[in-house]
Amino acid sequence: MTEPLFASFERRTIETDRDVRIHAVVGGDGPPLLLLHGHPQTHAIWHRIAPTLARHFTVVACDLRGYGDSSKPAGTSDHGNYSKRTMALDMVRVMASLGFARFSILAHDRGARVAHRLALDHPDAVARLVLLDIAPTLAMYEQTSEAFARAYWHWFFLIQPSPLPERLIECDPGAYLRDVMGNRSAGMAPFDPRALREYERCLSLPGAAHGLCEDYRAAATIDLEHDRADRDAGHRLSMPLLVLWGAQGVVHRCFKPLDEWRRVATDVSGEALPCGHYVPEEAPDALLERVLPFLRQRGAPAT
């Protein structure tokens, strides 16, 4: 289904764990750049900027564990196999299998949370890091307000014990997509119909609803334990970090992203872009204008 969106890219499926295979599309030439998507989407979110990025980088756009055409294992009792630590290790192994021990990352939403953990656990692997429309997970949970809870209702719906949220999503995956994505600031207008068909196809796959619920359950439990341990130990991101977010989005309205990232990282820059949450699809030109100079600065990894 995504072939028209990534016609010049090669499809790869890479085993990263027992019974876990990660789906990716790979294209371009140059320093390696890992792209990670958010909820409830797939690697297809990058279709508007991946061709341009591929002129400068070897682009690897993955489906996270539990999403897209990647494996969707049953969650464990502690949700540890969907912890951001485990999902980050998937991506380290994907890149290593392609010959890249060091790479940059551009990540959105859930993928940005995986990228944050990857950069903490594997700092030598990450040259430069771009995170889109998030504040750190721990900060967002600890500062939850009524306004945030109402806007990000899915955070609290998806963490309910299985199988309640899974059953409701599986009743009508397309309606769930439209309710989550269409109720943001820009409605459904920014989304290419081909990408929407891909998102719905993937959310309709067996285990997909469970996979995304486990991602959120882990975020509200074991991921917070890992984040608090890093905070207590004084661990901070050391690589150059660019954070960008939508000026019409909930993160902008409810948090101060630069302040929050400067609490957990030493080299932070960033700004709001003229869009809502789905930055790669709503504002691709503005996004490329910011990320290309940052990613091409001295210190980008060699192939």
Side-chain angles (χ1 to χ4, degrees):
M1 290 291 292
T2 55
E3 185 174 353
L5 299 176
F6 294 88
S8 63
F9 283 60
E10 176 189 0
R11 291 180 176 274
R12 299 289 298 270
T13 303
I14 298 160
E15 187 171 357
T16 61
D17 201 352
R18 185 177 63 181
D19 299 325
V20 174
R21 297 171 69 84
I22 298 298
H23 173 256
V25 294
V26 182
D29 186 35
L33 175 62
L34 174 64
L35 306 183
L36 298 177
H37 66 86
H39 158 274
Q41 299 165 295
T42 73
H43 74 277
I45 71 164
W46 306 109
H47 69 95
R48 288 185 171 138
I49 67 169
T52 299
L53 292 172
R55 298 174 195 160
H56 308 277
F57 304 97
T58 299
V59 172
V60 182
C62 293
D63 291 336
L64 297 170
R65 173 187 295 230
Y67 291 83
D69 287 309
S70 291
S71 295
K72 302 163 183 65
T76 56
S77 59
D78 68 349
H79 315 297
N81 64 333
Y82 282 88
S83 71
K84 302 309 158 290
R85 176 160 285 159
T86 298
M87 296 170 81
L89 186 57
D90 281 337
M91 298 306 149
V92 171
R93 289 172 173 168
V94 165
M95 297 303 279
S97 76
L98 298 173
F100 304 127
R102 185 168 166 81
F103 47 90
S104 292
I105 308 175
L106 168 58
H108 175 251
D109 189 67
R110 309 309 295 178
R113 302 189 191 284
V114 174
H116 180 198
R117 174 49 57 188
L118 194 162
L120 281 168
D121 287 358
H122 309 275
D124 292 341
V126 181
R128 289 180 171 271
L129 182 61
V130 184
L131 304 179
L132 302 181
D133 210 60
I134 69 165
T137 305
L138 182 57
M140 292 178 73
Y141 268 115
E142 290 187 341
Q143 298 174 38
T144 291
S145 63
E146 180 182 353
F148 173 67
R150 287 181 179 276
Y152 268 34
W153 58 268
H154 60 286
W155 273 41
F156 307 98
F157 165 66
L158 297 172
I159 66 175
Q160 298 306 307
S162 178
L164 173 63
E166 287 94 332
R167 185 184 299 126
L168 296 176
I169 294 168
E170 288 166 355
C171 285
D172 194 339
Y176 177 78
L177 283 168
R178 291 187 293 274
D179 287 343
V180 171
M181 297 169 63
N183 285 332
R184 305 273 189 166
S185 60
M188 297 300 290
F191 304 109
D192 187 302
R194 296 170 298 169
L196 285 173
R197 288 194 295 271
E198 179 67 359
Y199 302 149
E200 185 168 355
R201 177 187 74 82
C202 290
L203 188 54
S204 301
L205 293 173
H210 180 66
L212 66 86
C213 287
E214 283 298 300
D215 168 21
Y216 280 80
R217 290 174 183 134
T221 54
I222 191 169
D223 289 343
L224 297 182
E225 295 176 15
H226 295 158
D227 290 348
R228 290 188 179 107
D230 280 320
R231 182 174 64 184
D232 293 346
H235 294 159
R236 306 180 78 202
L237 298 175
S238 58
M239 68 289 297
L241 168 61
L242 175 64
V243 292
L244 302 168
W245 63 95
Q248 287 89 54
V250 174
V251 170
H252 180 77
R253 189 163 70 247
C254 294
F255 303 95
K256 296 181 178 179
L258 275 182
D259 290 350
E260 297 301 336
W261 285 110
R262 284 171 176 157
R263 291 188 176 98
V264 300
T266 60
D267 182 358
V268 184
S269 58
E271 62 184 294
L273 299 183
C275 62
H277 176 63
Y278 298 101
V279 182
E281 292 170 292
E282 293 184 44
D285 292 338
L287 179 58
L288 285 169
E289 184 180 333
R290 272 52 167 207
V291 301
L292 277 174
F294 175 80
L295 292 170
R296 295 177 71 190
Q297 287 179 40
R298 180 181 299 179
T303 55

Coordinates of all heavy atoms in Angstrom, one line a residue, residues 120-189:
L120 N 19.5 8.2 25.5 CA 19.9 8.0 26.8 C 20.7 6.7 27.0 O 21.7 6.7 27.7 CB 18.7 8.1 27.8 CG 18.2 9.5 28.1 CD1 16.8 9.3 28.8 CD2 19.2 10.3 29.0
D121 N 20.2 5.6 26.5 CA 20.8 4.3 26.7 C 21.9 4.0 25.8 O 22.8 3.3 26.2 CB 19.7 3.2 26.4 CG 18.7 3.1 27.5 OD1 18.8 3.9 28.5 OD2 17.7 2.3 27.4
H122 N 22.0 4.7 24.6 CA 23.0 4.4 23.6 C 23.6 5.7 23.1 O 23.5 6.0 21.9 CB 22.5 3.6 22.5 CG 21.7 2.4 22.9 ND1 22.4 1.2 23.2 CD2 20.4 2.1 23.1 CE1 21.5 0.3 23.5 NE2 20.3 0.8 23.5
P123 N 24.1 6.6 24.0 CA 24.6 7.9 23.5 C 25.6 7.9 22.4 O 25.7 8.8 21.6 CB 25.1 8.6 24.8 CG 25.4 7.4 25.7 CD 24.4 6.3 25.4
D124 N 26.5 6.9 22.4 CA 27.5 6.8 21.4 C 27.0 6.5 20.0 O 27.6 6.7 19.0 CB 28.6 5.8 21.8 CG 29.4 6.2 23.0 OD1 29.4 7.4 23.3 OD2 30.0 5.3 23.6
A125 N 25.7 6.1 20.0 CA 25.1 5.7 18.7 C 24.5 6.9 18.0 O 24.2 6.8 16.8 CB 24.1 4.6 18.9
V126 N 24.2 8.0 18.8 CA 23.4 9.1 18.2 C 24.2 10.3 18.0 O 24.8 10.9 19.0 CB 22.2 9.4 19.2 CG1 21.3 10.5 18.6 CG2 21.4 8.1 19.4
A127 N 24.3 10.7 16.8 CA 25.1 11.9 16.5 C 24.3 13.2 16.7 O 24.7 14.1 17.4 CB 25.6 11.9 15.0
R128 N 23.1 13.2 16.1 CA 22.2 14.4 16.3 C 20.8 13.9 16.4 O 20.4 12.9 15.9 CB 22.3 15.4 15.1 CG 23.6 16.1 15.1 CD 23.8 17.1 13.9 NE 25.0 17.8 14.1 CZ 25.0 19.0 14.8 NH1 23.9 19.5 15.3 NH2 26.2 19.6 15.0
L129 N 19.9 14.7 17.1 CA 18.6 14.2 17.5 C 17.6 15.3 17.3 O 17.8 16.5 17.7 CB 18.6 13.8 19.0 CG 17.4 13.2 19.6 CD1 16.9 11.9 18.9 CD2 17.6 13.0 21.1
V130 N 16.5 15.0 16.5 CA 15.4 15.9 16.3 C 14.1 15.3 16.8 O 13.8 14.2 16.4 CB 15.2 16.3 14.8 CG1 14.1 17.4 14.7 CG2 16.6 16.8 14.2
L131 N 13.5 15.9 17.7 CA 12.2 15.4 18.3 C 11.1 16.4 18.0 O 11.2 17.6 18.2 CB 12.4 15.3 19.8 CG 13.6 14.4 20.3 CD1 13.6 14.4 21.8 CD2 13.5 13.0 19.7
L132 N 10.0 15.8 17.6 CA 8.8 16.6 17.1 C 7.6 16.5 18.0 O 7.1 15.4 18.2 CB 8.4 16.2 15.7 CG 9.5 16.2 14.6 CD1 9.0 15.8 13.3 CD2 10.1 17.6 14.5
D133 N 7.1 17.6 18.5 CA 5.9 17.8 19.2 C 5.7 16.9 20.4 O 4.7 16.3 20.6 CB 4.7 17.6 18.2 CG 3.5 18.5 18.7 OD1 3.7 19.8 18.8 OD2 2.5 18.0 19.0
I134 N 6.8 16.8 21.2 CA 6.6 16.2 22.5 C 7.4 17.0 23.6 O 8.4 17.7 23.2 CB 7.1 14.8 22.6 CG1 8.6 14.7 22.4 CG2 6.4 13.9 21.6 CD1 9.2 13.3 22.8
A135 N 7.0 16.9 24.8 CA 7.9 17.2 25.9 C 8.2 15.9 26.5 O 7.6 14.8 26.2 CB 7.1 18.1 27.0
P136 N 9.2 15.8 27.4 CA 9.6 14.5 28.0 C 8.4 13.9 28.7 O 7.6 14.5 29.3 CB 10.7 14.9 29.0 CG 11.3 16.2 28.5 CD 10.1 16.9 27.9
T137 N 8.3 12.5 28.5 CA 7.2 11.8 29.1 C 6.9 12.0 30.5 O 5.8 12.3 31.0 CB 7.4 10.3 28.8 OG1 7.6 10.1 27.4 CG2 6.1 9.5 29.2
L138 N 8.0 12.0 31.3 CA 7.9 12.2 32.8 C 7.3 13.5 33.1 O 6.4 13.7 34.0 CB 9.2 12.0 33.4 CG 9.3 12.1 35.0 CD1 8.3 11.1 35.6 CD2 10.7 11.8 35.4
A139 N 7.8 14.6 32.4 CA 7.3 15.9 32.6 C 5.8 16.0 32.3 O 5.0 16.7 33.0 CB 8.1 16.9 31.8
M140 N 5.4 15.4 31.2 CA 4.0 15.5 30.8 C 3.1 14.8 31.8 O 2.0 15.3 32.1 CB 3.8 14.9 29.4 CG 4.5 15.8 28.4 SD 4.4 15.3 26.6 CE 2.7 15.6 26.2
Y141 N 3.5 13.6 32.3 CA 2.6 12.9 33.3 C 2.6 13.7 34.6 O 1.6 13.8 35.2 CB 3.1 11.5 33.5 CG 2.4 10.5 32.6 CD1 3.1 9.8 31.6 CD2 1.1 10.3 32.7 CE1 2.5 8.9 30.8 CE2 0.4 9.3 31.9 CZ 1.1 8.6 31.0 OH 0.5 7.7 30.2
E142 N 3.8 14.2 35.1 CA 3.8 14.8 36.3 C 3.1 16.2 36.3 O 2.7 16.7 37.4 CB 5.3 15.0 36.8 CG 5.9 13.7 37.2 CD 7.3 13.8 37.8 OE1 7.9 14.9 37.6 OE2 7.8 12.9 38.4
Q143 N 3.0 16.8 35.2 CA 2.3 18.1 35.0 C 0.9 18.0 34.4 O 0.4 19.0 33.9 CB 3.2 19.0 34.2 CG 4.5 19.3 34.8 CD 5.4 20.1 33.9 OE1 5.0 21.1 33.3 NE2 6.7 19.8 33.9
T144 N 0.3 16.8 34.4 CA -1.0 16.7 33.8 C -2.0 17.6 34.4 O -2.2 17.6 35.7 CB -1.4 15.2 33.9 OG1 -0.6 14.4 33.1 CG2 -2.9 15.1 33.4
S145 N -2.7 18.3 33.6 CA -3.7 19.3 34.0 C -5.0 18.8 33.4 O -5.1 17.9 32.6 CB -3.4 20.7 33.5 OG -3.4 20.7 32.1
E146 N -6.1 19.4 33.8 CA -7.4 19.1 33.2 C -7.4 19.3 31.7 O -7.9 18.5 30.9 CB -8.6 19.8 33.9 CG -9.9 19.5 33.3 CD -11.0 20.3 33.9 OE1 -10.8 21.0 34.9 OE2 -12.2 20.2 33.4
A147 N -6.8 20.4 31.3 CA -6.8 20.8 29.9 C -6.0 19.7 29.1 O -6.4 19.3 28.0 CB -6.2 22.2 29.7
F148 N -4.9 19.3 29.6 CA -4.1 18.3 29.0 C -4.9 16.9 28.9 O -4.9 16.3 27.9 CB -2.7 18.1 29.6 CG -1.9 16.9 29.1 CD1 -1.5 17.0 27.8 CD2 -1.7 15.8 29.8 CE1 -0.7 15.9 27.3 CE2 -1.0 14.7 29.3 CZ -0.5 14.8 28.0
A149 N -5.4 16.5 30.0 CA -6.1 15.3 30.1 C -7.3 15.2 29.1 O -7.6 14.2 28.5 CB -6.6 15.0 31.5
R150 N -8.0 16.4 29.0 CA -9.1 16.4 28.0 C -8.6 16.3 26.6 O -9.2 15.7 25.7 CB -9.9 17.7 28.2 CG -10.8 17.7 29.5 CD -11.6 18.9 29.6 NE -12.4 18.9 30.8 CZ -13.6 18.4 30.9 NH1 -14.2 17.8 29.8 NH2 -14.3 18.4 32.0
A151 N -7.5 17.0 26.3 CA -7.0 17.0 24.9 C -6.3 15.7 24.5 O -6.5 15.3 23.4 CB -6.0 18.2 24.8
Y152 N -5.6 15.1 25.5 CA -4.9 13.9 25.2 C -5.6 12.7 25.9 O -5.0 11.9 26.6 CB -3.5 14.0 25.7 CG -2.5 14.5 24.6 CD1 -2.9 15.4 23.7 CD2 -1.2 14.0 24.6 CE1 -2.0 15.8 22.7 CE2 -0.3 14.5 23.7 CZ -0.7 15.4 22.7 OH 0.2 15.8 21.8
W153 N -6.9 12.7 25.8 CA -7.7 11.6 26.4 C -7.2 10.3 26.1 O -7.4 9.3 26.9 CB -9.2 11.8 25.9 CG -9.4 11.7 24.5 CD1 -9.4 12.7 23.6 CD2 -9.6 10.5 23.7 NE1 -9.5 12.3 22.3 CE2 -9.6 10.9 22.3 CE3 -9.6 9.1 24.0 CZ2 -9.8 10.0 21.3 CZ3 -9.8 8.2 23.0 CH2 -9.9 8.6 21.6
H154 N -6.7 10.1 24.9 CA -6.2 8.7 24.5 C -5.1 8.2 25.4 O -5.0 7.0 25.5 CB -5.8 8.7 23.0 CG -4.7 9.6 22.7 ND1 -4.9 11.0 22.6 CD2 -3.4 9.4 22.4 CE1 -3.7 11.5 22.3 NE2 -2.8 10.6 22.2
W155 N -4.3 9.1 25.9 CA -3.3 8.6 26.9 C -3.9 7.8 28.0 O -3.2 6.9 28.5 CB -2.5 9.9 27.5 CG -1.4 10.4 26.6 CD1 -1.3 10.5 25.3 CD2 -0.1 10.8 27.2 NE1 -0.1 11.0 24.9 CE2 0.6 11.2 26.0 CE3 0.4 11.0 28.4 CZ2 1.9 11.8 26.2 CZ3 1.7 11.5 28.6 CH2 2.4 11.9 27.5
F156 N -5.0 8.2 28.5 CA -5.6 7.6 29.6 C -6.6 6.5 29.3 O -6.9 5.6 30.1 CB -6.3 8.7 30.5 CG -5.3 9.8 30.8 CD1 -5.3 11.0 30.0 CD2 -4.3 9.7 31.7 CE1 -4.3 12.0 30.2 CE2 -3.4 10.7 32.0 CZ -3.4 11.8 31.2
F157 N -7.1 6.5 28.1 CA -7.9 5.5 27.5 C -7.1 4.2 27.2 O -7.4 3.1 27.6 CB -8.7 6.0 26.3 CG -9.3 4.9 25.4 CD1 -10.3 4.1 25.9 CD2 -8.8 4.7 24.2 CE1 -10.9 3.1 25.1 CE2 -9.4 3.7 23.4 CZ -10.4 2.9 23.8
L158 N -6.0 4.4 26.5 CA -5.2 3.3 26.0 C -4.5 2.5 27.1 O -4.1 1.4 26.9 CB -4.2 3.8 25.0 CG -4.8 4.4 23.7 CD1 -3.7 5.0 22.9 CD2 -5.5 3.3 22.9
I159 N -4.3 3.1 28.3 CA -3.6 2.4 29.4 C -4.5 1.6 30.2 O -4.1 0.9 31.2 CB -2.8 3.4 30.3 CG1 -3.8 4.4 31.0 CG2 -1.8 4.2 29.5 CD1 -3.0 5.3 32.0
Q160 N -5.8 1.6 29.9 CA -6.7 0.8 30.7 C -6.4 -0.7 30.5 O -5.9 -1.1 29.4 CB -8.2 1.1 30.3 CG -8.6 2.5 30.6 CD -8.4 2.9 32.0 OE1 -8.8 2.2 32.9 NE2 -7.7 4.0 32.2
P161 N -6.7 -1.6 31.4 CA -6.3 -3.0 31.3 C -6.9 -3.6 30.1 O -8.1 -3.3 29.7 CB -6.9 -3.6 32.6 CG -7.0 -2.5 33.6 CD -7.3 -1.3 32.7
S162 N -6.2 -4.5 29.5 CA -6.7 -5.3 28.3 C -7.8 -6.2 28.8 O -7.7 -6.7 29.9 CB -5.5 -6.1 27.8 OG -5.9 -6.9 26.7
P163 N -8.8 -6.4 28.0 CA -8.9 -6.1 26.5 C -9.8 -4.9 26.2 O -10.3 -4.8 25.1 CB -9.4 -7.4 25.9 CG -10.4 -7.8 27.0 CD -9.8 -7.5 28.3
L164 N -10.2 -4.1 27.2 CA -11.2 -3.1 27.0 C -10.9 -2.1 25.8 O -11.6 -2.0 24.8 CB -11.5 -2.3 28.2 CG -12.4 -1.1 28.1 CD1 -13.8 -1.5 27.6 CD2 -12.5 -0.3 29.4
P165 N -9.7 -1.4 25.9 CA -9.5 -0.5 24.8 C -9.2 -1.2 23.5 O -9.7 -0.7 22.4 CB -8.2 0.3 25.2 CG -7.6 -0.5 26.3 CD -8.7 -1.3 26.9
E166 N -8.6 -2.4 23.5 CA -8.4 -3.1 22.3 C -9.7 -3.5 21.6 O -9.9 -3.3 20.4 CB -7.6 -4.4 22.5 CG -6.2 -4.2 22.9 CD -5.9 -4.2 24.3 OE1 -6.8 -3.7 25.1 OE2 -4.8 -4.5 24.8
R167 N -10.7 -3.9 22.4 CA -12.0 -4.3 21.8 C -12.7 -3.2 21.2 O -13.2 -3.3 20.1 CB -12.8 -4.9 23.0 CG -14.2 -5.5 22.5 CD -15.0 -5.9 23.7 NE -14.4 -7.0 24.4 CZ -14.2 -7.0 25.7 NH1 -14.5 -5.9 26.4 NH2 -13.6 -8.0 26.3
L168 N -12.6 -2.0 21.8 CA -13.3 -0.8 21.3 C -12.6 -0.4 20.0 O -13.3 0.0 19.0 CB -13.3 0.3 22.3 CG -14.2 -0.1 23.6 CD1 -14.0 1.1 24.6 CD2 -15.6 -0.3 23.2
I169 N -11.3 -0.3 19.9 CA -10.6 0.1 18.7 C -10.9 -0.9 17.6 O -11.1 -0.5 16.4 CB -9.1 0.2 19.0 CG1 -8.8 1.3 19.9 CG2 -8.3 0.4 17.7 CD1 -7.4 1.3 20.5
E170 N -10.8 -2.2 17.9 CA -11.0 -3.2 16.9 C -12.4 -3.2 16.3 O -12.6 -3.7 15.1 CB -10.7 -4.6 17.4 CG -9.2 -4.8 17.7 CD -8.9 -6.0 18.5 OE1 -9.8 -6.6 19.1 OE2 -7.7 -6.3 18.7
C171 N -13.4 -2.7 17.0 CA -14.7 -2.6 16.4 C -14.8 -1.7 15.2 O -15.6 -2.0 14.3 CB -15.7 -2.0 17.5 SG -16.2 -3.2 18.8
D172 N -14.0 -0.7 15.1 CA -14.0 0.2 14.0 C -12.6 1.0 13.9 O -12.6 2.1 14.4 CB -15.1 1.2 14.1 CG -15.4 1.9 12.7 OD1 -14.5 2.0 11.9 OD2 -16.5 2.4 12.5
P173 N -11.6 0.4 13.5 CA -10.3 1.0 13.4 C -10.3 2.4 12.7 O -9.6 3.3 13.1 CB -9.3 0.0 12.7 CG -10.0 -1.3 13.0 CD -11.5 -1.0 12.9
G174 N -11.0 2.4 11.6 CA -11.1 3.7 10.8 C -11.7 4.8 11.6 O -11.2 6.0 11.6
A175 N -12.7 4.5 12.4 CA -13.4 5.5 13.2 C -12.4 6.0 14.3 O -12.3 7.2 14.6 CB -14.6 5.0 13.9
Y176 N -11.6 5.1 14.9 CA -10.7 5.5 15.9 C -9.6 6.4 15.3 O -9.3 7.5 15.9 CB -10.0 4.2 16.5 CG -8.9 4.6 17.5 CD1 -9.2 5.0 18.8 CD2 -7.5 4.6 17.1 CE1 -8.2 5.3 19.7 CE2 -6.6 4.9 18.0 CZ -6.9 5.3 19.3 OH -5.9 5.6 20.2
L177 N -9.1 6.1 14.1 CA -8.2 7.0 13.5 C -8.8 8.4 13.3 O -8.1 9.4 13.5 CB -7.8 6.4 12.1 CG -6.8 5.2 12.1 CD1 -6.7 4.6 10.7 CD2 -5.4 5.7 12.5
R178 N -9.9 8.4 12.7 CA -10.6 9.7 12.4 C -10.8 10.5 13.7 O -10.7 11.7 13.8 CB -11.8 9.5 11.6 CG -11.6 9.0 10.2 CD -12.9 9.0 9.4 NE -13.8 8.0 9.9 CZ -13.8 6.7 9.5 NH1 -12.9 6.3 8.7 NH2 -14.8 5.9 10.0
D179 N -11.2 9.8 14.8 CA -11.5 10.5 16.0 C -10.2 11.1 16.6 O -10.2 12.2 17.2 CB -12.2 9.5 17.0 CG -13.6 9.3 16.7 OD1 -14.2 10.0 15.9 OD2 -14.2 8.3 17.2
V180 N -9.1 10.3 16.6 CA -7.9 10.8 17.2 C -7.2 11.8 16.3 O -6.8 12.9 16.8 CB -6.9 9.6 17.4 CG1 -5.5 10.1 17.8 CG2 -7.4 8.6 18.4
M181 N -7.1 11.6 15.0 CA -6.4 12.5 14.1 C -7.2 13.7 13.7 O -6.7 14.8 13.6 CB -5.9 11.7 12.9 CG -4.9 10.6 13.3 SD -4.5 9.5 11.9 CE -3.7 10.6 10.7
G182 N -8.5 13.4 13.5 CA -9.3 14.5 13.0 C -9.7 15.5 14.0 O -10.2 16.6 13.6
N183 N -9.6 15.2 15.3 CA -10.0 16.2 16.3 C -8.8 17.1 16.7 O -9.0 17.8 17.7 CB -10.5 15.4 17.5 CG -11.9 14.9 17.3 OD1 -12.7 15.4 16.5 ND2 -12.3 13.8 17.9
R184 N -7.7 17.0 16.0 CA -6.6 18.0 16.3 C -6.9 19.3 15.5 O -7.9 19.4 14.9 CB -5.3 17.4 15.8 CG -5.0 16.0 16.3 CD -4.2 16.1 17.7 NE -3.8 14.8 18.1 CZ -2.9 14.6 19.0 NH1 -2.3 15.7 19.7 NH2 -2.5 13.4 19.4
S185 N -6.0 20.2 15.6 CA -6.3 21.6 15.2 C -6.6 21.7 13.7 O -7.4 22.5 13.3 CB -5.0 22.4 15.5 OG -3.9 21.9 14.9
A186 N -6.0 20.8 12.8 CA -6.1 20.9 11.4 C -7.2 20.0 10.8 O -7.4 20.0 9.6 CB -4.8 20.7 10.7
G187 N -7.8 19.2 11.7 CA -8.8 18.2 11.1 C -8.1 17.2 10.3 O -6.9 16.9 10.4
M188 N -8.8 16.7 9.3 CA -8.3 15.6 8.4 C -7.7 16.2 7.1 O -7.1 15.4 6.3 CB -9.4 14.7 8.0 CG -10.0 13.9 9.2 SD -8.8 12.9 10.1 CE -8.5 11.6 8.9
A189 N -7.7 17.5 7.0 CA -7.2 18.1 5.7 C -5.8 17.8 5.4 O -5.5 17.7 4.2 CB -7.5 19.6 5.8

